[in-house]
């Protein structure tokens, strides 16, 4: 395919016309009315109806010239030309309209993803083709079809017509269509980016960083807000740290685990629980310590119970308030249900064939996801599997349960399911895979991705409406507490944002 700058209607020796179906040189033209094979190559001839009139492209204009008295033939050629001429005019109008809109949007929004220089160059090339190569032939060509006697009588040069101009116009028409399609695609892409940018500005206006918490020596896996308003964080540095809600200074370091601390969750009676790669779950309770020398009291935390039973890393822990269960999942492929006051698991749930990396629970429902992309729905009433689904092509990283079930994975998808784990639809992510999900309301879910961006997703519209960079590395956990959005990241930090919805 020639580029626009190479298309010159006067340079027929350098341009070989080709059959679009067989990519062979065109050697024949059919003049039969209604024939859909106007231009024929050698392969076309073998299947072409023999009763049709076929001549060479060069001979086409010679025959029209020789039979000028056949008004029917002249009128048919005139009709063919008028159709092509009309199509090209319509294409030019579309190009102008699209480009004018693009030009307006580009001036208003400086979007890096659209190559503005390339758009201008393409459009200018299109103008040059129309003005320099196309329009110089239109008057003489149209005059030829409307009044061929002028040519036959030698009053005008027949060389204009013999130069395959009609076939050239067909090629130009196709090239104009391709250029219009490209400009349409660019316009749609620009509109999508422009809409997203507007949404991002709107989100940024309601999104304000309150503080950044530093202090861990390795990846921060989780952050939660405790019953008293302070914050707790867990890390691969094997510690849990407590942070004052007013000063955001570390008030206590808990070193009860001997391996990475993966997750935290609140439980009743002013307690919280943790799970770790040391295969244990630990329960922490708050007590008041009074210093004898000055009588000052401090609220401190201590481990009051250790739960054992998993045979490998315990990576996620949640609390179900309806059944008063702690629920954990592990790389040993199982889920386990616990009473925080006991030492051993109440029940072991088996059904996954791979390591289980995430789970969520609400009312009598548990949904878990493994590294093979499978989700399992469990019933707490019947303690059994109710449904299995596999729609992710990689590991399932996070699950949410509300009116619907949401899951995200390594395949850069957010899958949406009904409450019975029947698939509804998916949202394809462009930037990066999500590590965590947080429900805000029915029209907004926030995901933390592997590049440190927060992706704001509208599940009703089925798309990401904005993206805001907040960390320098992946975001492992997002929590939302009454206008405060908390994030924990691989960049060793925790950030708190004021988020007005």
């Amino acid at each position: 395919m020639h580029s626009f700058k190479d298309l010159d209607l006067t340079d027929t020796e350098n341009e070989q016309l080709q059959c679009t179906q067989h990519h062979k040189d065109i050697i024949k033209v059919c003049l039969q009315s209604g024939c859909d094979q106007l231009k024929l190559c050698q392969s076309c001839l073998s299947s072409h109806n023999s009763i049709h009139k076929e001549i060479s492209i060069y001979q086409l204009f010679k025959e029209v010239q020789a039979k000028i008295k056949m008004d029917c033939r002249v009128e048919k050629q005139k009709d063919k030309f008028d159709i092509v001429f009309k199509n090209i005019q319509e294409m030019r109008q579309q190009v102008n309209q699209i480009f004018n809109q693009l030009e307006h949007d580009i001036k208003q929004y400086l979007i890096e993803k659209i190559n503005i220089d390339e758009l201008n160059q393409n459009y200018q090339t299109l103008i040059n083709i129309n003005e320099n190569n196309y329009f110089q032939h239109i008057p003489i060509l149209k005059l030829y079809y409307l009044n061929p006697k002028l040519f036959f009588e030698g009053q005008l040069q027949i060389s204009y017509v013999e130069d395959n101009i009609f076939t050239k116009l067909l090629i130009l028409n196709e090239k104009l269509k391709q250029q219009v399609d490209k400009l349409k695609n660019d316009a749609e892409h620009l509109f999508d980016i422009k809409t997203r940018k507007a949404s991002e500005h709107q989100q940024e206006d309601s999104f304000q960083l309150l503080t950044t918490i530093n202090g861990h020596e390795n990846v921060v896996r989780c952050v939660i807000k405790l019953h008293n308003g302070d914050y707790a964080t867990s890390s691969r540095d094997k510690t849990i740290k407590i942070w004052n809600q007013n000063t955001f200074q570390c008030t206590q370091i808990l070193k009860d685990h001997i391996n990475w601390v993966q997750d935290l969750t609140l439980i009743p009676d002013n307690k919280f629980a943790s799970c770790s790669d040391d295969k244990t779950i630990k329960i922490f309770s708050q007590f008041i310590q009074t210093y004898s020398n000055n009588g000052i009291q401090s609220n401190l935390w201590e481990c009051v119970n250790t739960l054992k039973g998993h045979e490998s890393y315990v990576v996620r822990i949640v609390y179900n308030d309806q059944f008063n269960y702690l629920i954990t999942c592990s790389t040993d492929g199982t889920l386990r249900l616990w009473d925080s006051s006991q030492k051993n698991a109440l029940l072991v749930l088996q059904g996954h064939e791979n390591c289980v990396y995430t789970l969520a629970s609400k009312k009598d429902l548990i949904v878990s996801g493994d590294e093979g992309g499978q989700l399992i729905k469990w019933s707490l009433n019947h303690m059994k599997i109710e449904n299995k689904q596999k729609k992710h092509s990689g590991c399932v990283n996070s699950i949410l349960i509300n009116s619907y079930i949401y899951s995200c994975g390594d395949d850069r998808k957010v899958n949406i399911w009904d409450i019975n784990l029947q698939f509804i639809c998916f949202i394809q992510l462009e930037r990066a895979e999500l590590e965590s999900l947080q429900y805000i309301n029915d029209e907004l879910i926030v995901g933390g991705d592997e590049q440190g961006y927060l992706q704001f997703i509208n599940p009703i519209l089925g798309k990401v409406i904005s993206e805001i960079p907040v960390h320098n590395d992946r975001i492992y956990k997002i929590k939302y507490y009454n206008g405060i959005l908390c994030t924990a990241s691989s960049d060793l930090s925790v950030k708190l944002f004021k988020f007005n919805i």
Side-chain angles (χ1 to χ4, degrees):
M1 184 64 70
H2 294 278
S3 65
F4 283 112
K5 65 181 181 181
D6 293 330
L7 181 59
D8 185 352
L9 295 181
T10 63
D11 186 15
T12 57
E13 291 82 9
N14 294 330
E15 180 160 339
Q16 295 294 326
L17 302 180
Q18 290 189 331
C19 171
T20 57
Q21 181 178 0
H22 301 101
H23 305 290
K24 296 181 179 180
D25 290 347
I26 296 171
I27 62 172
K28 296 287 183 179
V29 172
C30 181
L31 298 182
Q32 181 69 25
S33 176
C35 178
D36 59 357
Q37 290 183 293
L38 177 63
K39 299 175 291 182
L40 304 175
C41 68
Q42 188 65 48
S43 299
C44 293
L45 290 174
S46 61
S47 60
H48 196 59
N49 192 329
S50 60
I51 67 172
H52 286 189
K53 179 71 174 180
E54 300 163 357
I55 62 173
S56 69
I57 297 175
Y58 180 79
Q59 292 171 335
L60 168 63
F61 296 102
K62 288 292 187 181
E63 180 150 327
V64 174
Q65 175 191 358
K67 298 181 179 181
I68 58 174
K69 295 181 180 180
M70 297 176 61
D71 295 336
C72 179
R73 173 67 65 211
V74 173
E75 286 302 315
K76 288 179 181 177
Q77 292 302 314
K78 173 179 173 293
D79 291 343
K80 286 183 178 180
F81 166 77
D82 285 344
I83 291 173
V84 176
F85 180 78
K86 181 180 179 182
N87 288 341
I88 292 177
Q89 292 293 80
E90 290 176 352
M91 288 293 149
R92 291 188 70 255
Q93 291 177 2
Q94 290 185 50
V95 169
N96 278 289
Q97 291 173 1
I98 293 171
F99 186 81
N100 288 338
Q101 184 62 43
L102 279 172
E103 188 177 35
H104 174 269
D105 290 339
I106 287 169
K107 288 179 180 178
Q108 189 171 359
Y109 300 93
L110 298 177
I111 308 301
E112 296 179 356
K113 293 186 179 181
I114 294 292
N115 190 327
I116 301 174
D117 292 336
E118 182 181 354
L119 280 180
N120 277 289
Q121 184 178 3
N122 288 344
Y123 180 67
Q124 191 59 46
T125 304
L126 194 63
I127 293 175
N128 292 338
I129 292 171
N130 291 334
E131 293 180 352
N132 298 338
N133 296 329
Y134 170 62
F135 280 111
Q136 67 179 358
H137 296 286
I138 290 302
I140 191 72
L141 184 62
K142 194 165 187 179
L143 182 61
Y144 170 77
Y145 282 111
L146 293 176
N147 194 355
K149 289 182 179 182
L150 294 176
F151 293 85
F152 181 73
E153 296 171 358
Q155 298 181 26
L156 293 172
Q157 293 292 326
I158 196 67
S159 59
Y160 284 103
V161 180
E162 292 178 346
D163 200 14
N164 301 330
I165 295 177
F166 181 70
T167 307
K168 289 284 190 177
L169 283 174
L170 294 176
I171 295 176
L172 178 59
N173 189 31
E174 291 301 315
K175 289 183 179 291
L176 282 171
K177 287 181 180 178
Q178 293 176 11
Q179 183 70 353
V180 168
D181 290 340
K182 181 181 185 304
L183 287 173
K184 282 182 178 179
N185 291 335
D186 287 343
E188 291 172 359
H189 186 47
L190 178 65
F191 177 78
D192 181 65
I193 295 174
K194 182 178 69 174
T195 303
R196 182 174 296 182
K197 287 289 182 181
S199 300
E200 287 177 4
H201 290 310
Q202 184 178 0
Q203 293 291 351
E204 289 173 352
D205 291 342
S206 60
F207 199 71
Q208 179 184 357
L209 177 65
L210 295 177
T211 188
T212 299
I213 298 175
N214 294 299
H216 280 290
E217 298 176 358
N218 205 329
V219 171
V220 187
R221 290 284 297 178
C222 185
V223 56
I224 61 171
K225 190 173 185 178
L226 300 172
H227 296 285
N228 66 351
D230 290 343
Y231 294 91
T233 58
S234 64
S235 168
R236 288 182 181 174
D237 63 11
K238 307 177 186 178
T239 70
I240 299 169
K241 294 191 175 186
I242 310 300
W243 309 85
N244 182 275
Q245 60 185 299
N246 297 314
T247 65
F248 301 109
Q249 298 298 310
C250 181
T251 59
Q252 190 177 1
I253 302 176
L254 303 171
K255 300 181 179 181
D256 299 85
H257 285 289
I258 59 173
N259 208 333
W260 295 354
V261 188
Q262 296 282 17
D263 203 13
L264 304 171
T265 190
L266 291 178
I267 55 178
D269 302 324
N270 201 29
K271 297 177 181 179
F272 72 88
S274 63
C275 65
S276 168
D277 281 6
D278 64 12
K279 308 178 187 179
T280 70
I281 298 98
K282 292 187 180 291
I283 310 300
F284 294 88
S285 181
Q286 194 175 37
F287 69 96
I288 299 176
Q289 177 174 302
T290 303
Y291 297 94
S292 57
N293 56 345
N294 53 22
I296 296 177
Q297 294 182 336
S298 296
N299 294 324
L300 298 178
W301 296 87
E302 63 178 349
C303 178
V304 295
N305 196 12
T306 298
L307 315 179
K308 297 181 180 180
H310 278 295
E311 299 174 0
S312 188
Y313 307 147
V314 189
V315 292
R316 195 62 55 91
I317 184 169
V318 299
Y319 176 73
N320 183 292
D321 56 4
Q322 180 168 320
F323 287 82
N324 198 27
Y325 288 146
L326 274 173
I327 310 168
T328 57
C329 65
S330 167
T331 55
D332 64 13
T334 69
L335 282 72
R336 298 181 187 240
L337 276 59
W338 312 82
D339 182 328
S340 61
S341 64
Q342 300 183 21
K343 297 287 185 181
N344 300 316
L346 301 175
L347 186 66
V348 179
L349 301 178
Q350 295 178 315
H352 284 281
E353 299 176 358
N354 295 284
C355 299
V356 188
Y357 280 105
T358 187
L359 67 92
S361 181
K362 187 173 184 179
K363 297 182 179 179
D364 66 336
L365 174 66
I366 302 174
V367 179
S368 54
D370 64 32
E371 68 175 348
Q374 186 178 64
L375 276 76
I376 297 182
K377 175 193 173 186
W378 312 78
S379 169
L380 283 173
N381 283 323
H382 304 101
M383 295 298 179
K384 67 176 185 179
I385 296 174
E386 290 193 337
N387 196 3
K388 288 185 177 183
Q389 294 283 358
K390 185 176 180 180
K391 286 287 186 180
H392 288 287
S393 58
C395 181
V396 183
N397 295 331
S398 186
I399 297 172
L400 282 178
I401 303 175
N402 205 65
S403 303
Y404 297 92
I405 299 170
Y406 307 91
S407 61
C408 65
D410 288 350
D411 54 5
R412 294 190 179 186
K413 288 182 180 179
V414 175
N415 287 340
I416 303 177
W417 317 77
D418 67 16
I419 208 65
N420 295 315
L421 200 60
Q422 297 298 323
F423 181 73
I424 299 175
C425 64
F426 73 90
I427 301 171
Q428 186 67 57
L429 306 175
E430 295 180 6
R431 175 177 296 281
E433 67 183 64
L434 297 182
E435 294 285 347
S436 54
L437 290 172
Q438 174 62 49
Y439 177 87
I440 305 297
N441 55 44
D442 288 341
E443 296 182 0
L444 185 61
I445 293 172
V446 182
D449 73 24
E450 61 180 344
Q451 296 180 0
Y453 278 71
L454 289 176
Q455 297 194 30
F456 295 84
I457 302 169
N458 187 320
I460 296 177
L461 298 178
K463 66 178 183 179
V464 177
I465 57 176
S466 65
E467 300 166 333
I468 301 177
V470 295
H471 283 281
N472 297 323
D473 207 337
R474 65 181 66 226
I475 301 172
Y476 275 114
K477 182 70 75 172
I478 304 174
K479 286 290 187 179
Y480 181 71
Y481 301 102
N482 298 323
I484 304 296
L485 194 72
C486 311
T487 59
S489 170
S490 291
D491 65 8
L492 315 188
S493 72
V494 171
K495 294 190 177 185
L496 275 58
F497 301 89
K498 185 179 180 181
F499 185 35
N500 299 318
I501 303 174

